[in-house]
Amino acid sequence: AGPVSSGAVSSNATAAMEQLMIPREVVVLATRTDAAGAVTVDRIPVGSFPLVTKKTVPSAGWKVCKYQQAGYFGRGSCTTYAVLDSLCVKVSQSQGGAWAADATFGDVGCAPTFQWKPEKTRRIHAPQNGAAPRLSTIRMAGAGFVQVRSARDPHVAALNITEGSMFFAERAAEASAAGTVLLIVGLALLVPGVLLAVPYVRRASRGVAVFKNQRRFDKLDDEAFDNVL
């Protein structure tokens, strides 16, 4: 066989990229055994997901598109690419023992960070010549593994309670921070009032001192008058 031309390689890469952008159905197989020893395989549909996602949205400028969105800017639009990093689905058993995807908290995913969606994507840099990313770039991303968790997993419950932060003292910390901020603001507002009150306090102090001195002189005058009498 003769050498493969660059045009054929480019054509094959484009066709492969188009295939990767087609959503594919993902099904998890769960095997269970009943008391009699019979084996049953449950099919758990997770959904349909493409391995590579391409999006083109209006953009205000090439800097925002290139440096903030890792995209390619052209004709007022920003084109970005993302790969399917992983899938995570939580499952539960029915009373009959069958396994199925559990949509508790809104969807079948495992974390509120992604609105309980099962898919987690990772953005990759778009080539600045307008072409699609290379297949080697997608392979290096290491995408495409599936994780299965029980809907009763304490980790899932903790993620739901803390809204994905896993920080249980968040409300107490927020209250403490708010109290500190209010204290600082109160002190900052108190300083101008103190500065404005200083001249009045000084005047009042001077008035008291003058009044005391006058009373002392008046007392001395009264005593001198008594001595003369």
Side-chain angles (χ1 to χ4, degrees), residues 19-107:
Q19 290 294 319
L20 294 177
M21 292 183 181
I22 298 176
R24 306 289 181 180
E25 184 180 5
V26 178
V27 178
V28 175
L29 302 180
T31 303
R32 55 189 173 91
T33 306
D34 59 15
V39 178
T40 304
V41 178
D42 295 324
R43 292 175 55 87
I44 307 174
V46 179
S48 297
F49 311 95
L51 188 60
V52 179
T53 304
K54 175 183 178 181
K55 291 184 179 180
T56 302
V57 296
S59 179
W62 68 271
K63 289 186 178 180
V64 175
C65 177
K66 179 179 179 179
Y67 295 109
Q68 296 184 12
Q69 301 176 346
Y72 165 73
F73 181 79
R75 297 181 180 180
S77 299
C78 184
T79 301
T80 60
Y81 293 88
V83 297
L84 182 63
D85 183 72
S86 61
L87 291 172
C88 185
V89 57
K90 59 183 186 297
V91 298
S92 60
Q93 262 185 315
S94 65
Q95 293 182 353
W99 288 99
D102 192 294
T104 306
F105 310 131
D107 212 327

Side-chain angles (χ1 to χ4, degrees), residues 3-227:
V4 179
S5 65
S6 60
V9 173
S10 177
S11 177
N12 291 337
T14 301
M17 182 62 65
E18 291 176 352
Q19 290 294 319
L20 294 177
M21 292 183 181
I22 298 176
R24 306 289 181 180
E25 184 180 5
V26 178
V27 178
V28 175
L29 302 180
T31 303
R32 55 189 173 91
T33 306
D34 59 15
V39 178
T40 304
V41 178
D42 295 324
R43 292 175 55 87
I44 307 174
V46 179
S48 297
F49 311 95
L51 188 60
V52 179
T53 304
K54 175 183 178 181
K55 291 184 179 180
T56 302
V57 296
S59 179
W62 68 271
K63 289 186 178 180
V64 175
C65 177
K66 179 179 179 179
Y67 295 109
Q68 296 184 12
Q69 301 176 346
Y72 165 73
F73 181 79
R75 297 181 180 180
S77 299
C78 184
T79 301
T80 60
Y81 293 88
V83 297
L84 182 63
D85 183 72
S86 61
L87 291 172
C88 185
V89 57
K90 59 183 186 297
V91 298
S92 60
Q93 262 185 315
S94 65
Q95 293 182 353
W99 288 99
D102 192 294
T104 306
F105 310 131
D107 212 327
V108 299
C110 304
T113 310
F114 308 104
Q115 290 77 44
W116 296 103
K117 299 292 184 182
E119 70 272 20
K120 176 185 176 183
T121 59
R122 182 194 309 173
R123 186 169 291 177
I124 57 177
H125 289 277
Q128 294 305 302
N129 58 0
R134 296 182 178 180
L135 297 179
S136 58
T137 303
I138 298 173
R139 284 196 297 267
M140 289 177 62
F145 70 91
V146 180
Q147 185 179 21
V148 180
R149 285 184 175 273
S150 170
R152 298 182 179 180
D153 190 336
H155 182 77
V156 175
L159 286 173
N160 179 59
I161 294 172
T162 61
E163 298 181 354
S165 67
M166 295 299 289
F167 183 55
F168 290 90
E170 185 172 3
R171 293 184 179 178
E174 290 178 355
S176 177
T180 303
V181 170
L182 291 176
L183 180 60
I184 294 174
V185 172
L187 293 174
L189 295 176
L190 182 63
V191 170
V194 172
L195 295 177
L196 291 174
V198 167
Y200 296 98
V201 173
R202 288 180 177 176
R203 291 178 185 176
S205 299
R206 290 176 183 175
V208 170
V210 171
F211 179 75
K212 288 182 177 180
N213 291 334
Q214 185 64 37
R215 289 289 302 274
R216 186 176 60 184
F217 291 146
D218 292 342
K219 186 176 180 181
L220 291 175
D221 292 342
D222 293 340
E223 291 177 351
F225 181 75
D226 292 340
N227 293 332

